[in-house]
């Protein structure tokens, strides 16, 4: 049993934290929310130069061959800063899908560029149904007469699709099979005919889009993995994504807690700081305990992934638990800041809005608990 | 980072499991219940067996007959006690006192008490709480006044665990009424057969008589029974918290009860479908399971920090707070899942899940009060942990 990070991981955390403090304060988050690109390409290049995009990628794809715990460390610090970047979309969702399902050509072609920050990938999974189960995928992939496929459907909340170089579209291929065995993955050029990308205005201000697919032709070479073999890959990537996001939410919760502590220690009412009142103290003590609990659920799940153990149940439980905690913390943060809490001119509301968005993405609490129940054999 | 145990630690867990499955199976528990042992909060029969396996002196240095275990092995052992529903209050106290004697006792005290504690012949009870000193323990008033070679003790202790079955009381007294409250406290080992001690039973809502009121009226205690330095008792009591912080026993219990609850929900149909297929039931069980997982993780984190020589006071408060609140939540939500038969006592054939949760809900109502109420844990977390100012 070892509850400590390695020295290298501690160093990594300190470096990412320092980077965020110096390069991406909340003023940057505010700026990127207003900006249509939604991230700073200059910072993204720096991230690549620091080797943080490919931490857990194999060396042959320009990665560092690190563990998923390294990813959790980075995500936690990014979450603390609410750092706007394509990291999650490209390195986690997109890159890991290619890593798991791609053939050698696809991997050699795409992954080094992903790791170097030159190519941005994203995963077009969510649909209007809002379901993260295989049966929720209604986008169709019809075999084309001259080879390849034709895609039709609508994808929602696709992160960083508006700047992506490639979309990975999850679609139902025709033919026989169950909901789970008829899903395939396709690499799609966002500039291809029939693809429309419309940014959505979402509660957190993060850049996520609607992706329309109307008779989009995909070459046979752009099938990722086997025909009908897509869902296990998506499941595996979703586990990683949930754990990465859990770590991110832990960082966000912790930052909201610290911001609130700082406020209640300095806000004077009735002749003293409001943080002396037990009405505030006990609620924050409970939240600090919840965040600590959430943190170790996230780390344990990340460790399971790094060990190559089945982590679906742990990932779903962590995502569900931490979503509750983040929202609870976000609400308390606004509440204890009083009027400054709900004004956009002030910063704490960023965390509240991000918590609400994170809670809904990759399956809400209800969906994730049901998935965990299935994993537990209930 | 690594969330698994060493092979030796896994082997130890198996050893403890095997031992408890054999010595504390349903039949043994039934026998203990019939003998009134369960109601008194302690089974001497089991204690003897535990002692003969060398499991009382777990973390003592080997020179005193201990096994030299680290907090991690202690935590594994405690978790298994919880899983196997061993009532460990008196046992824990005896372990805590034994540990303190190892640290602070004189050579004579060590010789006198340690072998008998290790052999399971001697039980200790703790006399801390008083009618006017509960959460604010340092304001205790039981007076020990020096008189020649003895101290004369007068005062009242309440919620004393195990005084009715123990040989000795580990007693916190005030030896300097004029000093600041933390600096006038001394600890004595008091023979419970001494003249002037009256033990009055207290019965809790779980039908247990584990606790008592102890009245001391001119009780004379030899000077050599003082442990540690005079007026430094508070610091010695704080040291005992090292073991108090090993709180994995509730995690074992949570795991066991959730397993039973899942089994029950698989076997029981309501409105024609198994309970476990009801979406709401599934949600609640996974929620409880997740919270139990989290509570266990942070309990072991405390142990990990202890094993590194740290004093994890705030993490320990978090673990105590979340673990005890969760014990109640499992019992309450569990009862709701069981429906109206949940309120029937386990002695009836109509009880649900053998009355396990009906009993648990009464038993766990004490958890958020004893050993530092939830409100006190929140004060520690808010003050020491979050640096919030005192009101």
């Amino acid at each position: 049993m070892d509850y400590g990070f390695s020295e290298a991981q501690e160093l990594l955390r300190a470096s990412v934290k320092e980077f965020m403090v110096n390069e991406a304060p909340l003023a940057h988050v505010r700026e990127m929310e207003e900006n249509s690109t939604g991230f700073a390409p200059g910072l993204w290049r720096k991230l690549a130069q620091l080797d943080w995009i490919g931490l857990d990628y194999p060396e042959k794809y320009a990665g560092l061959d690190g563990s998923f715990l390294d990813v959790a460390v980075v995500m936690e610090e990014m979450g603390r800063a609410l750092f706007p970047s394509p990291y999650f979309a490209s390195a986690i969702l997109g890159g890991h899908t290619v890593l798991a399902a791609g053939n050698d050509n696809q991997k050699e072609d795409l992954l080094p560029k992903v790791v170097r920050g030159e190519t941005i990938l994203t995963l077009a999974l969510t649909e209007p149904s809002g379901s993260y189960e295989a049966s929720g995928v209604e986008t169709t992939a019809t075999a084309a007469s001259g080879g390849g496929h034709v895609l039709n459907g609508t994808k929602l909340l696709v992160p960083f699709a508006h700047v992506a170089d490639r979309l990975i579209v999850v679609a139902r291929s025709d033919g026989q099979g169950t909901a789970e065995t008829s899903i395939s993955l396709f690499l799609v050029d966002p500039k291809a005919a029939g693809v429309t990308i419309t940014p959505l205005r979402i509660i957190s201000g993060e850049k996520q889009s609607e992706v329309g697919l109307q008779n989009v032709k995909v070459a046979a070479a752009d099938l990722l993995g086997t025909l009908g073999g897509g869902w296990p890959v998506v499941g595996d990537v979703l586990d990683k994504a949930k754990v990465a996001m859990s770590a991110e939410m832990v960082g966000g919760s912790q930052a909201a807690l610290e911001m609130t502590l700082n406020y209640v220690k300095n806000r004077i009412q009735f002749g003293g700081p409001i943080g002396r009142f037990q009405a505030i103290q006990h609620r924050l003590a409970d939240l600090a305990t919840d965040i600590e609990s959430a943190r170790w659920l996230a780390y344990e799940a990340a460790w399971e992934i790094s060990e190559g153990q089945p982590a679906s149940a742990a990932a779903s439980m962590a995502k569900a638990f931490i979503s509750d905690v983040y929202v609870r913390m976000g609400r308390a943060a606004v509440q204890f800041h009083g009027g400054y809490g709900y004004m956009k001119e002030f910063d704490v509301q960023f965390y509240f809005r991000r918590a609400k968005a994170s809670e809904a993405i990759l399956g809400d609490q209800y969906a994730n608990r049901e998935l965990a129940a299935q994993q537990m054999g209930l | 980072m690594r969330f698994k145990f060493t092979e030796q630690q896994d082997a130890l867990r198996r050893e403890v499991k095997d031992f408890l499955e054999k010595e504390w199976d349903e039949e043994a528990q039934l026998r203990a219940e019939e003998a009134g042992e369960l109601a008194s909060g302690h089974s001497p029969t089991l204690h003897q067996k535990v002692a003969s396996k060398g499991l009382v002196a777990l973390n003592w240095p080997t020179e005193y007959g201990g096994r030299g275990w680290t907090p991690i092995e202690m935590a594994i052992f405690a978790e298994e006690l919880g899983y196997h529903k061993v009532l460990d209050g008196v046992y824990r106290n005896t372990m805590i006192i034994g540990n303190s004697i190892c640290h602070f006792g004189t050579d004579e005290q060590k010789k006198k008490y340690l072998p008998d504690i290790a052999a399971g012949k001697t039980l200790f009870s703790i006399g801390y709480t008083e009618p006017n000193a509960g959460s604010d323990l340092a304001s205790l008033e039981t007076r020990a006044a020096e008189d020649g070679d003895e101290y004369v003790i007068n005062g009242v202790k309440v919620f004393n665990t195990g005084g009715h079955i123990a040989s000795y009381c580990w007693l916190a007294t005030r030896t300097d009424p004029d000093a600041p409250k933390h600096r006038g406290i001394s600890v004595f080992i008091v023979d419970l057969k001494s003249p002037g001690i009256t033990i009055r039973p207290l019965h809790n809502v779980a039908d247990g008589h584990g606790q008592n009121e102890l009245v001391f009226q001119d009780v004379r205690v030899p000077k050599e029974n003082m442990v540690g330095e005079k007026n430094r008792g508070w610091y010695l009591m704080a040291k005992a918290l090292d073991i108090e912080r090993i709180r994995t026993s509730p995690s074992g219990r949570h795991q066991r009860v959730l397993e039973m609850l899942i089994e029950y929900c698989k076997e029981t149909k309501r409105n024609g479908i198994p309970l476990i297929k009801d979406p709401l039931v599934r949600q609640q069980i996974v929620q409880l399971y997740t919270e139990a997982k989290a509570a266990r993780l942070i309990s072991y984190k405390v142990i990990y920090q202890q094993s590194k020589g740290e004093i994890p006071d705030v993490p320990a408060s978090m673990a105590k707070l979340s673990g005890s609140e969760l014990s109640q939540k499992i019992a309450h939500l569990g009862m709701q899942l069981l429906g109206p038969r949940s309120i029937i006592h386990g002695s009836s054939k109509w009880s649900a899940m053998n009355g396990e949760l009906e009993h648990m809900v009464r038993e766990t109502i004490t958890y958020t009060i004893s050993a530092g109420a939830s409100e006190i844990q929140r004060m520690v977390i808010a003050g020491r942990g979050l640096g919030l100012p005192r009101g």
Side-chain angles (χ1 to χ4, degrees):
Chain A
M1 191 173 73
D2 181 0
Y3 273 68
F5 284 100
S6 68
E7 263 180 57
Q9 285 163 339
E10 293 292 3
L11 199 65
L12 174 66
R13 182 187 293 283
S15 312
V16 179
K17 189 178 267 177
E18 196 190 334
F19 179 91
M20 294 300 157
V21 168
N22 294 333
E23 308 270 4
L26 288 172
H28 175 68
V29 178
R30 185 176 291 279
E31 193 187 327
M32 289 303 117
E33 191 172 327
E34 304 300 327
N35 171 304
S36 64
T37 309
F39 77 109
L43 288 184
W44 183 237
R45 275 194 296 278
K46 280 190 187 173
L47 228 60
Q49 283 156 11
L50 288 161
D51 283 332
W52 290 343
I53 301 179
L55 281 172
D56 62 328
Y57 281 69
E59 274 180 33
K60 63 175 169 178
Y61 303 128
L64 287 190
D65 236 342
S67 89
F68 203 74
L69 278 163
D70 303 340
V71 174
V73 167
V74 170
M75 282 299 282
E76 187 178 348
E77 293 307 321
M78 287 183 174
R80 179 187 271 280
L82 300 174
F83 183 57
S85 90
Y87 180 76
F88 181 72
S90 190
I92 310 276
L93 290 174
H96 273 282
T97 307
V98 173
L99 199 55
N103 59 35
D104 286 347
N105 282 343
Q106 290 164 330
K107 287 196 272 197
E108 279 158 24
D109 173 37
L110 287 169
L111 293 180
K113 285 186 277 184
V114 167
V115 167
R116 290 197 297 262
E118 295 156 10
T119 288
I120 292 173
L121 297 180
T122 189
L123 184 68
L125 168 64
T126 313
E127 298 204 3
S129 71
S131 161
Y132 287 89
E133 302 204 27
S135 56
V137 178
E138 289 169 12
T139 295
T140 56
T142 314
S145 49
H149 282 80
V150 177
L151 306 181
N152 277 289
T154 303
K155 295 288 182 180
L156 291 183
L157 300 168
V158 183
F160 284 86
H162 67 301
V163 291
D165 299 291
R166 287 295 181 86
L167 311 169
I168 298 167
V169 174
V170 183
R172 185 167 303 287
S173 36
D174 47 8
Q176 299 298 311
T178 64
E180 281 78 18
T181 60
S182 55
I183 302 283
S184 304
L185 308 171
F186 300 92
L187 283 164
V188 175
D189 181 347
K191 291 184 206 68
V195 179
T196 49
I197 293 176
T198 316
L200 296 164
R201 187 173 160 181
I202 70 167
I203 189 165
S204 60
E206 291 168 282
K207 295 296 180 275
Q208 303 190 355
S209 299
E210 172 189 345
V211 174
L213 302 157
Q214 203 172 12
N215 295 322
V216 177
K217 293 200 181 87
V218 190
D222 286 332
L223 173 68
L224 203 52
T226 60
L227 201 63
W231 191 250
V233 175
V234 172
D236 193 48
V237 169
L238 278 180
D239 288 347
K240 291 189 171 81
K242 284 175 196 173
V243 174
M245 205 164 156
S246 295
E248 186 187 40
M249 291 192 286
V250 166
S253 304
Q254 182 67 34
L257 173 65
E258 287 171 14
M259 192 179 270
T260 305
L261 284 171
N262 186 47
Y263 185 80
V264 302
K265 284 175 192 175
N266 293 296
R267 168 71 175 171
I268 308 291
Q269 289 288 280
F270 305 108
I274 59 170
R276 73 191 190 283
F277 296 123
Q278 287 192 331
I280 287 175
Q281 292 197 348
H282 285 199
R283 193 160 156 197
L284 290 177
D286 281 338
L287 283 162
T289 304
D290 289 342
I291 294 169
E292 177 73 356
S293 302
R295 174 175 289 122
W296 292 99
L297 282 175
Y299 291 164
E300 189 189 40
W303 174 78
E304 283 183 7
I305 287 176
S306 74
E307 293 284 295
Q309 293 180 14
S312 294
S316 289
M317 285 187 206
K319 171 69 174 56
F321 185 93
I322 299 169
S323 296
D324 277 334
V325 172
Y326 199 5
V327 171
R328 208 151 56 228
M329 184 63 239
R331 290 174 61 193
V334 169
Q335 180 69 24
F336 292 158
H337 277 76
Y340 305 109
Y342 57 74
M343 291 304 176
K344 277 202 159 177
E345 284 80 2
F346 296 86
D347 286 339
V348 78
Q349 44 86 24
F350 281 123
Y351 290 96
F352 167 69
R353 290 190 288 127
R354 177 65 84 90
K356 289 306 293 177
S358 301
E359 161 181 54
I361 299 294
L362 304 183
D364 59 13
Q365 292 89 323
Y366 189 85
N368 273 305
R369 279 184 212 117
E370 174 52 35
L371 280 175
Q374 290 167 19
Q375 292 293 331
M376 286 166 68
L378 302 185
Chain B
M1 193 158 289
R2 189 165 172 272
F3 293 92
K4 62 182 175 193
F5 297 96
T6 64
E7 274 178 37
Q8 291 97 311
Q9 287 164 347
D10 283 334
L12 168 72
R13 189 185 290 277
R14 273 194 302 277
E15 180 196 335
V16 175
K17 255 186 197 305
D18 290 346
F19 168 74
L20 290 172
E21 272 161 21
K22 181 160 162 272
E23 305 294 352
W24 198 239
D25 58 359
E26 270 180 41
E27 208 181 307
Q29 289 179 43
L30 200 66
R31 276 200 306 274
E33 191 173 356
E34 281 164 1
E37 288 185 354
L38 292 191
S40 75
H42 180 75
S43 165
T45 322
L46 180 65
H47 192 80
Q48 273 303 320
K49 288 177 177 157
V50 168
S52 67
K53 288 275 285 183
L55 296 173
V56 176
L58 307 170
N59 64 322
W60 302 1
T62 42
E63 56 188 297
Y64 304 131
R67 288 174 73 157
W69 282 1
T70 74
I72 298 178
E73 283 81 24
M74 304 269 293
I76 291 170
F77 178 61
E79 189 176 13
E80 290 307 317
L81 288 182
Y83 185 89
H84 291 90
K85 272 183 76 177
V86 176
L87 292 163
D88 64 344
V90 176
Y91 169 72
R92 271 176 77 90
N93 287 350
T94 301
M95 246 175 24
I96 289 168
I97 304 310
N99 193 50
S100 294
I101 295 175
C102 282
H103 273 92
F104 301 104
T106 61
D107 285 342
E108 288 71 28
Q109 287 169 342
K110 287 175 189 167
K111 263 182 231 142
K112 182 168 178 191
Y113 301 107
L114 292 180
D116 282 355
I117 293 176
K121 290 181 197 158
T122 295
L123 296 178
F124 267 80
S125 76
I126 294 183
Y128 284 174
T129 306
E130 297 181 4
N132 295 320
S135 294
D136 179 16
L137 183 59
S139 67
L140 60 90
E141 294 163 335
T142 293
R143 183 79 172 94
E146 212 168 337
D147 182 22
D149 290 339
E150 296 174 322
Y151 277 86
V152 181
I153 297 177
N154 280 287
V156 180
K157 295 286 176 181
V158 283
F159 312 127
N160 150 271
T161 299
H164 55 303
I165 47 177
S167 314
Y168 299 98
C169 183
W170 177 264
L171 189 72
T173 64
R174 184 152 307 279
T175 35
D176 184 352
D178 301 320
K181 63 182 182 179
H182 293 92
R183 295 190 196 148
I185 293 170
S186 304
V187 170
F188 290 91
I189 294 173
V190 180
D191 187 334
L192 281 165
K193 290 187 298 295
S194 310
I197 298 180
T198 311
I199 302 179
R200 296 199 194 103
L202 290 167
H203 300 90
N204 69 21
V205 292
D207 298 327
H209 161 219
Q211 295 184 319
N212 310 281
E213 179 186 31
L214 294 186
V215 182
F216 295 82
Q217 204 167 15
D218 295 327
V219 177
R220 304 191 82 84
V221 179
K223 269 187 169 169
E224 65 257 28
N225 283 26
M226 184 186 282
V227 188
E229 273 178 63
K230 187 179 178 185
N231 294 330
R232 299 279 298 167
W234 184 256
Y235 307 96
L236 193 146
M237 290 155 74
K239 175 74 187 167
L241 283 174
D242 285 354
I243 293 195
E244 190 88 348
R245 288 195 185 106
I246 296 175
R247 260 183 202 289
T248 45
S249 160
S251 288
R253 186 76 187 279
H254 296 159
Q255 177 68 27
R256 177 68 170 274
V257 171
L258 286 172
E259 283 171 13
M260 292 170 76
L261 199 56
I262 289 170
E263 209 45 47
Y264 179 89
C265 291
K266 281 180 176 171
E267 286 167 358
T268 310
K269 285 188 177 177
R270 193 168 297 154
N271 303 326
I273 60 160
L275 272 175
I276 201 69
K277 294 294 168 198
D278 180 326
L280 272 177
V281 172
R282 297 164 75 78
Q283 289 285 315
Q284 288 200 338
I285 285 183
V286 172
Q287 178 65 24
L288 292 175
Y289 194 92
T290 307
E291 289 182 28
K293 203 166 175 259
R296 180 177 190 263
L297 279 166
I298 65 171
S299 299
Y300 270 108
K301 190 210 166 204
V302 173
I303 313 296
Y304 169 77
Q305 287 182 278
Q306 281 188 317
S307 74
K308 294 269 152 196
E310 296 167 27
I311 300 173
D313 51 356
V314 173
S317 283
M318 290 181 168
K320 160 70 167 68
L321 175 65
S322 68
S324 56
E325 295 286 342
L326 177 61
S327 294
Q328 290 183 4
K329 191 171 174 183
I330 290 174
H332 282 271
L333 283 177
M335 272 185 79
Q336 288 175 13
L337 294 183
L338 264 44
R341 279 170 54 196
S342 66
I343 64 171
I344 302 173
H345 190 266
S347 56
S348 163
K349 67 172 178 175
W350 294 111
S351 65
M353 233 174 89
N354 294 323
E356 181 77 21
L357 295 178
E358 187 271 338
H359 186 264
M360 187 182 181
V361 93
R362 291 183 288 132
E363 188 194 343
T364 55
I365 196 80
T366 68
Y367 289 12
T368 50
I369 298 168
S370 57
S374 290
E375 290 69 24
I376 298 298
Q377 307 302 339
R378 290 188 183 102
M379 277 172 66
V380 171
I381 298 163
R384 241 177 281 173
L386 305 179
L388 290 169
R390 274 186 173 270

